[in-house]
Every structure is written in C-alpha cells, then in structure tokens.
Amino acid sequence: MKRLSQSILVLIAAAEKLGLNEEDVKIATEFATYYEFGLAFDQIVTQMFEYEIEIDNNFYLLLTTNAQMMNLEEDEYVCMKDLIRENGNVPQ
C-alpha cells in the first residue's frame, strides 16, 4: 500500500505541474491521505479531462501504472489519450 500511496502522490504532483487547479489537487491529496486511492485517481482523471488539460506520454504512462496497481481497467482512463499532444509532449 505504501508503494501505491507514493505513486498516487507522484501522479497528483504531475497533474498539478500540468495545470490541474489547486482545489482539485487538494481534493485528490485528501483522498490519498485517507487511502482512498481510487477516488484520488478518479478526481485527477475526471477534472483533467473536464478542463481539457493537455498531457504527455509520460503522464499517461503514470496513469497506467497507477491504474494497474489498483487493478483498474483501461476504460477507466482511456479518455485521457485524447489529451495527449500530437507529438506526445506538452509545451513548457
């Protein structure tokens, strides 16, 4: 569980760096603090998709890694592929 906890926190930090707003970061972090990793993951995916925050291939890989650790199916987050920049990188 410690590995998943750390991985979710890395995912949250990456989402914040890509532009997820402070309130959603706070909510996801709070879920993670109380070991509600699925809710933290869902908060990130839902809000980033809703706000159309562009991601890169590395972020999608991080999503995939976390989902696999929680035994989630790809259909839980596959919508995020639509947010990957054409060249796979988000402009800095």
Side-chain angles (χ1 to χ4, degrees):
M1 184 181 318
K2 184 176 181 176
R3 184 172 167 236
L4 177 57
S5 178
Q6 291 171 340
S7 188
I8 286 288
L9 292 175
V10 169
L11 179 66
I12 293 168
E16 182 176 30
K17 185 176 180 184
L18 289 172
L20 187 62
N21 70 50
E22 185 179 331
E23 182 65 24
D24 290 317
V25 168
K26 180 180 172 187
I27 291 168
T29 302
E30 189 170 323
F31 283 141
T33 300
Y34 292 102
Y35 305 105
E36 296 288 350
F37 305 122
L39 292 174
F41 183 88
D42 187 57
Q43 179 74 20
I44 292 164
V45 169
T46 300
Q47 295 307 311
M48 290 187 78
F49 187 77
E50 185 71 27
Y51 293 122
E52 298 179 353
I53 297 171
E54 293 179 332
I55 65 172
D56 56 20
N57 289 322
N58 289 334
F59 186 82
Y60 192 81
L61 180 60
L62 189 56
L63 279 175
T64 301
T65 300
N66 278 274
Q68 289 171 348
M69 291 170 75
M70 292 184 285
N71 297 316
L72 299 176
E73 297 293 323
E74 188 177 16
D75 64 349
E76 298 280 334
Y77 61 93
V78 72
C79 62
M80 297 295 282
K81 282 185 177 181
D82 293 341
L83 299 176
I84 297 174
R85 291 287 302 213
E86 234 178 269
N87 64 4
N89 297 309
V90 176
Q92 296 299 323

